[in-house]
Amino acid sequence: MPASQPRSRARDRNNVLNRAEFLSLNQPLKGNQESRSSGRKQSGQAGAAGAQNTNPKERRQSQQLPEEDCMHLNPSFKGIAFNSLLAIDICMSKRLGVCANRASSWGGARSMINLLGITGHGIPWIAGTLICLVKSSTLAGQEVLMNLLLALLLDIMIVAGLQKLAKRKGPYDINPGLLDYLTMDTYAFPAGHASRVAMLSKFFLNHLVLAIPLRILLVLWALCVGFSRVMIGRHHITDVLSGFVFGYLQFRLVELIWMSSNTCQMLISIW
């Protein structure tokens, strides 16, 4: 035992870590321990004081997170299907926007597509209906024209209201034209041109005597005008399809509130 003690002492002397400059590596400083312990005590005291100051109702509310802040790790099947269809709609609409700008693949045909869109605009149709109404001399013609004017005005108001509610932007960042601002057709859903041409084509098919080739051309015109809005980048595919649906519903509404010849004559006399 006495011989082992001097050996252990000699080892301690020869150990480099036992020197004064390396003592901080083996033993933590007392000041750091004291500062850490004091910091923990202060934070614990502050937490305890805050817990005492808060009411039990506030504690319960803080423990219960709102539902919108929670992460939905298992979304519903309807949500997945809706988001997938929306993504497909946006992707297909961007691909079909071949005339969205001059640099597009069909950029040279942009002016022609714009001209086709003007044929389905509300302002030319309202102006043309008013001119025909002034020049019409038959009671049947005035009745049809007055109800057509009512249908056009209802179309503008209904589409403008729905667009203000939805506020959906188009697939491309394209500013509306002057005629679009006049008819309040500034958003994408539903497509105002599509609803108008669907309503007009159905109106003419029901109240005008047309040959079969003219009926086919009328339907093709409505389809071309509707999908030209996708080609020019103003609307999505679903915007145009929903516009066709709303146009048909507007036609049914006009048929329900159809003004008789006497009512039309009274309105014309007031005007």
Side-chain angles (χ1 to χ4, degrees):
M1 291 295 292
S4 63
Q5 291 179 357
R7 290 177 183 174
S8 62
R9 291 175 184 174
R11 290 175 185 172
D12 293 337
R13 291 172 188 171
N14 294 329
N15 192 0
V16 179
L17 296 177
N18 289 330
R19 295 181 183 179
E21 59 268 22
F22 296 110
L23 287 176
S24 61
L25 299 176
N26 295 330
Q27 297 178 359
L29 295 176
K30 295 181 180 180
N32 293 335
Q33 291 180 350
E34 292 177 357
S35 62
R36 290 176 184 174
S37 61
S38 62
R40 291 174 184 173
K41 289 179 181 179
Q42 290 177 0
S43 62
Q45 291 176 359
Q52 291 177 359
N53 292 331
T54 56
N55 297 326
K57 294 182 179 180
E58 295 180 356
R59 293 177 192 171
R60 294 172 185 173
Q61 292 178 357
S62 62
Q63 291 176 359
Q64 296 177 357
L65 294 174
E67 185 178 357
E68 58 269 15
D69 292 341
C70 300
M71 184 180 294
H72 296 282
L73 297 178
N74 188 16
S76 62
F77 176 76
K78 292 182 179 179
I80 295 173
F82 177 76
N83 292 330
S84 300
L85 292 175
L86 187 62
I88 293 171
D89 178 35
I90 295 173
C91 180
M92 293 298 296
S93 301
K94 284 184 174 291
R95 291 198 175 192
L96 291 176
V98 293
C99 301
N101 48 54
R102 294 293 180 183
S104 302
S105 58
W106 289 16
R110 181 177 171 82
S111 58
M112 185 176 64
I113 299 299
N114 278 326
L115 183 61
L116 181 62
I118 291 175
T119 61
H121 209 281
I123 297 299
W125 276 101
I126 292 175
T129 304
L130 289 174
I131 293 172
C132 293
L133 186 60
V134 170
K135 292 186 176 182
S136 178
S137 59
T138 61
L139 295 178
Q142 291 176 356
E143 180 182 352
V144 172
L145 289 171
M146 280 296 295
N147 284 279
L148 177 60
L149 182 62
L150 174 64
L152 290 170
L153 295 176
L154 282 176
D155 173 74
I156 290 176
M157 291 187 292
I158 292 173
V159 171
L162 291 173
Q163 286 186 357
K164 290 293 184 182
L165 290 175
K167 291 185 178 181
R168 188 186 188 188
K169 298 294 184 64
Y172 291 91
D173 191 10
I174 298 175
N175 295 324
L178 178 61
L179 294 177
D180 296 328
Y181 280 111
L182 290 176
T183 55
M184 296 174 287
D185 188 9
T186 55
Y187 290 100
F189 180 88
H193 286 67
S195 66
R196 193 170 300 111
V197 295
M199 183 268 297
L200 288 172
S201 60
K202 185 63 177 173
F203 187 92
F204 291 148
L205 289 174
N206 274 41
H207 297 286
L208 295 180
V209 179
L210 300 173
I212 293 177
L214 290 177
R215 288 175 172 267
I216 295 174
L217 287 176
L218 189 61
V219 174
L220 290 176
W221 166 76
L223 293 174
C224 290
V225 171
F227 284 103
S228 68
R229 308 303 290 172
V230 179
M231 296 174 64
I232 210 167
R234 282 280 285 118
H235 296 280
H236 300 86
I237 298 174
T238 52
D239 300 335
V240 173
L241 294 177
S242 61
F244 288 151
V245 174
F246 282 115
Y248 177 76
L249 294 177
Q250 289 167 10
F251 165 76
R252 300 301 302 174
L253 177 62
V254 172
E255 291 292 313
L256 289 174
I257 59 174
W258 184 268
M259 294 185 295
S260 62
S261 179
N262 294 331
T263 304
C264 295
Q265 291 301 313
M266 182 183 66
L267 293 175
I268 292 172
S269 62
I270 293 172
W271 179 45

